Amino acid sequence: MERTFWKKRIKNLLNKRTILWMAGVRRVGKTTLCQSIENATYLDCELPRVRHRLDDPELFFRRHGSGQIILDEVHRLSDPSQVLKIAADHFPHIKVIATGSSTLAARRKFRDTLTGRKNVLWLLPATLADLHDFKITDIDKRLLYGGMPQLLLGKGLNNDDYTEWIDSFWAKDLQELFSIEKKSAFLRFMELLFLQSGELFEATRFAADCEVSRQTIINYLQILDTTLTMVIIRPYFRVSAAEIKSQPKVYGFDTGFVAYFREWESINNENRGHLLEHLVLNELLAYYPRQSIYYWRDKQRHEVDFIVKPKRSREILAIECKVNPKKFDPAGMRAMRGRHPHGKNLVVCLDLLEAYPYQYGDLEILFMPYTQLDITLMAL
């Protein structure tokens, strides 16, 4: 199971800093990816003998010499931040890849988040590049099964796989990281978020359904954001009073889990459109920091699905998602460009074979197939 896009990204990041933290949800493929890296020493920190070898990290790295070391499930060490800090400060000829199911800062054991010493890679569910490597051409399968490699490449759709993931997520991620008193309320909240994935978030509405306080719901959302299970997208705005400024949208991390919670057993045009947004967001996260990805909406309910605003750039990339290009209404894009005129406009479509430009008055839009989105993003 090759993932050439991510292996290239790993190589580039290790050329900049010698410590790479690879984050990602459980079973997204971190271990398999690490084991496929050539000429690297792989160590599973869940094994007692491995933890014993790293009790004296200075001696361990001195004996190792040079090259690449992979510390899988590094949070299992008694003091993982000290191990990585010693490697970064005293053994710059050694490159270390450390993995964990959640972000580095979330782990209570990490007294030092290694600011300035590490790069972070967020391993995502299967991207377009991964689908090419996996030799999967059926986009509907990716929509329905999701992008977790084990589920996507399995023999068939099995709901037990998704329930097992949720049980493992609770037992191995949440209970080790956070103090959550009401398991039923938390899991109910997570289910509701997947059911309403991609919609505007209002904490008070969830508080009543889950029978907890509004502040508890906000805390729950922060936990799901920290563990990369939910992706929070903020509204893009400048100074106009007509633009939405505070209410975020929340997306579930994978289309397969959205389909699972909604009990979709097949794909039709209605749910294809909904899941397409998640696919496009997944692709954007492979190329841009999530802090630079927004949505846009005004108080007249004009909306643009995604806005990408790179730092130090006046231009913003506006993206709409449509199954059929003929169903696109330019009103939202036109309203947004009335306030933010600089940048390119894309409409990403499933039912399209070739890209083409189209002019709506002075508004120029590039219609493109979803299967070409990665090439377009690399060229921008």
Side-chain angles (χ1 to χ4, degrees), residues 325-336:
K326 295 180 180 179
K327 299 293 181 68
F328 173 69
D329 181 352
M333 197 82 79
R334 183 177 283 123
M336 185 276 300

Side-chain angles (χ1 to χ4, degrees), residues 114 121 136 192 199 201 242 245 288 299 313 316 340 363:
L114 307 171
L121 177 68
I136 292 178
L192 290 173
E199 296 182 13
F201 178 80
K245 294 181 172 62
Y288 297 100
K299 294 180 180 178
S313 174
I316 62 173
H340 310 282
L363 181 69

Side-chain angles (χ1 to χ4, degrees), residues 160-315:
D160 291 342
D161 291 331
Y162 298 93
T163 56
E164 182 185 346
W165 185 94
I166 295 167
D167 291 341
S168 180
F169 174 59
W170 173 261
K172 294 186 177 182
D173 286 335
L174 297 177
Q175 286 191 309
E176 290 181 7
L177 277 170
F178 308 100
S179 299
I180 302 175
E181 295 181 357
K182 296 183 178 181
K183 177 181 178 180
S184 59
F186 182 89
L187 293 181
R188 174 59 176 162
F189 174 61
M190 188 171 77
E191 177 185 3
L192 290 173
L193 283 179
F194 274 111
L195 286 170
Q196 300 173 39
S197 181
E199 296 182 13
L200 293 172
F201 178 80
E202 175 49 60
T204 303
R205 183 179 60 183
F206 290 101
D209 288 337
C210 299
E211 298 181 337
V212 294
S213 69
R214 184 178 184 278
Q215 184 57 51
T216 298
I217 289 295
I218 293 173
N219 294 340
Y220 285 174
L221 181 61
Q222 290 174 342
I223 290 171
L224 291 169
D225 177 51
T226 297
T227 56
L228 308 178
T229 313
M230 295 291 162
V231 183
I232 300 173
I233 303 296
R234 305 290 179 185
Y236 183 79
F237 64 92
R238 294 184 75 179
V239 294
S240 172
E243 294 176 301
I244 299 298
K245 294 181 172 62
S246 59
Q247 193 171 12
K249 284 187 174 185
V250 179
Y251 285 83
F253 77 96
D254 185 51
T255 61
F257 284 85
V258 175
Y260 165 76
F261 280 106
R262 293 197 174 206
E263 300 183 349
W264 290 340
E265 297 180 353
S266 61
I267 292 292
N268 57 43
N269 271 346
E270 183 177 352
N271 53 37
R272 285 176 89 213
H274 180 69
L275 295 176
L276 174 60
E277 282 188 41
H278 295 72
L279 275 193
V280 171
L281 175 58
N282 192 71
E283 207 66 27
L284 292 175
L285 290 168
Y287 292 90
Y288 297 100
R290 58 176 167 167
Q291 296 84 358
S292 66
I293 302 172
Y294 306 83
Y295 78 95
W296 182 86
R297 184 181 174 101
D298 67 13
K299 294 180 180 178
Q300 288 72 47
R301 299 190 176 183
H302 297 115
E303 190 168 337
V304 175
D305 292 330
F306 298 112
I307 298 291
V308 180
K309 174 64 170 66
K311 285 186 177 180
R312 301 181 182 180
S313 174
R314 292 183 60 206
E315 295 192 348

